[in-house]
Amino acid sequence: MIDLHLHTTASDGRSTPEQLVRRLAAEGIRTFALTDHDTTAGIAAATAAAAPLGLRVIPGIEVTSVHQGIDLHLLGYFFDPDHVELIDFLVAQREDRRRRVREMIDRLASLGIVLNVQSIMKKASQMTGKALGRPVIARLLVAKGHARDIADAFDRFLATGRPAFVARRGATPADVIALIGRAGGLVSFAHPGKLGQDDLIPVLAAAGLGAIEVFHPDHNDATTARYAAMARALGLATSGGSDYHGPRSGRAEALGRVNLPPEAFEAFEQLARRAASIRRSAGGAA
Ligand code: AMP
Ligand code: ZN
Ligand code: FE
Ligand code: FE
């Protein structure tokens, strides 16, 4: 089985890379990509844990881009994790994530909800390259009794337009597609069914988008079929995975259930190879 959408403690997942790899092996997943938000910090540990088990690791990431004020998640694959420009970009993304978390905590304070900033920022320093996000605030709001659960914390405070929401600053989808391309990879449009921005897909296809994430736990059969048809029509590959965030997280049951068919993976990998070789010859590099 193949799963190209997985989160770890490098961003807002609950499993360490090592714990996740053990789970993947137990589920019969043989090829996978970590797609942590704006960080590749988990990949080295996952690769080390995967090697003795014979699992194949594909470099992956889930970058948050901003389109007309809306967050748009883009999945990058097959890129060089050591690409300097990509590394610098991700450092800046994570800095903005910390800025935003701090500002959201300030907003909450002005609403009379005082959270311990130190405990959140300490989490950021537990792992080099760890990406912070709203879930760390949501978990603290639940722990301190200000929300029933994570979803409630988002509904009341953290979701777009809610009282503690702070807008993100960031790269456009086209910027991210170009950057992942320069790093040797391809981008897949993440969980389009969650977003309602289908009109954007042909525009991004023209800008070099490589794939659509067709297989995702938030897609039903009709949604899956619709995006598969759209990918075919636009000449895009398809990607997919469980978007697993650890045990007892939302849609945890999708692990081992929502996956990418081997033929689809092969087509995606071939497209990535072709794109990289066209780029190399166009760039005149050896
Ligand atoms: P951020 O990275 O700060 O934009 O936070 C986004 C993360 O929060 C996503 O990975 C989701 O898993 C989680 N999230 C977003 N909206 C909700 C929601 N309404 N309920 C629960 N989790 C959410
Ligand atoms: Zn996440
Ligand atoms: Fe996402
Ligand atoms: Fe995700």
Side-chain angles (χ1 to χ4, degrees), residues 5-7 12 35-37 62 73 75 190-191 194 213 216 243-245 251:
H5 196 151
L6 298 159
H7 295 272
D12 57 2
T35 50
D36 276 308
H37 302 282
E62 184 168 19
H73 291 185
L75 296 158
H191 42 66
K194 272 173 70 161
E213 188 178 45
H216 186 276
D243 207 353
Y244 184 68
H245 279 75
R251 18 173 172 70

